[in-house]
Amino acid sequence: MWQALANGYAAEICARQGFDWLLLDVEHSPNTLQTLLAQAQAIAPFPVEVIARVPFGEPVALKQYLDMGLHTLLVPMVDTAEHARAMVRACRYPPHGIRGVSSATSRGANFGSDANYLHEANDKVTLIVQIESTTGLANIAEIAAVEGVDALFIGPSDLAASMGHLGQPTHPAVVEAIATAKAAIDGAGKPAGIFAVNPEHARQSIAAGFRFVSVGTDIGLLISGAQKVLGEVRGQG
Ligand code: 3PY
Ligand code: MG
């Protein structure tokens, strides 16, 4: 479930519903680090995986999220293997990367009480890169082969836009491109994920072998719930 309301209450409510994972989206939602933290804290008691989508693929953003204890990151708009390698380095302490060190003040390291954190942190990270452009598609095999890229996630809306089909993520050409991308990810032996644009698309994606599939957004749930109750009361439902 995609958390776009940027709100700890909404995240807690969704965390109680039994989804496998929640994605805290900062790329397209009005989040600050503080609202992101509030959501992370709200859902921490629940058995749900948390993925955080950084607003852009720059090392500083990744460092702040990791320090906050958000160890599973989705990086949007990764178009090249070089960018993917830079994201891997951003997630790792030297000598394997460039992540800055401040474990005593970081939630990820239990505020310094996790004595092994510095030595185990690189292994705690799950880095997911998002393929959502024709350039990313052209380079997908090379990106998928990057060591430290743990999974790849398809963004159908941006992919459609990049292909000249803005607003048509289910255009046949986009569907075909997604199948090609999925085959390349499979070829690298890595898990493929996708943003499903509706429940039917989610079912089809799971049947096609996508391993992690969004099934909706908190905003969508609120809108459909509001429309349902209005329809029922006004007799249009
Ligand atoms: C896309 O479809 O472009 C995404 O990034 C999914 O949110
Ligand atoms: Mg996108």
Side-chain angles (χ1 to χ4, degrees), residues 27-28 53 76-77 130 132 155-159:
E27 186 195 13
H28 285 298
R53 180 161 75 170
M77 309 256 173
Q130 209 174 336
E132 46 186 348
S157 295
D158 277 303
L159 184 58

Side-chain angles (χ1 to χ4, degrees), residues 157-219:
S157 295
D158 277 303
L159 184 58
S162 163
M163 293 175 67
H165 303 298
L166 180 65
Q168 301 175 71
T170 56
H171 187 285
V174 179
V175 171
E176 196 182 318
I178 290 172
T180 306
K182 167 76 169 47
I185 300 168
D186 289 348
K190 295 194 175 166
I194 190 165
F195 183 91
V197 295
N198 55 48
E200 174 60 18
H201 186 211
R203 279 192 295 272
Q204 287 169 356
S205 300
I206 292 166
F210 280 95
R211 302 268 298 279
F212 54 114
V213 177
S214 68
V215 296
T217 71
D218 53 3
I219 290 179

Side-chain angles (χ1 to χ4, degrees), residues 16 80 104 121 177:
R16 292 175 179 276
T80 64

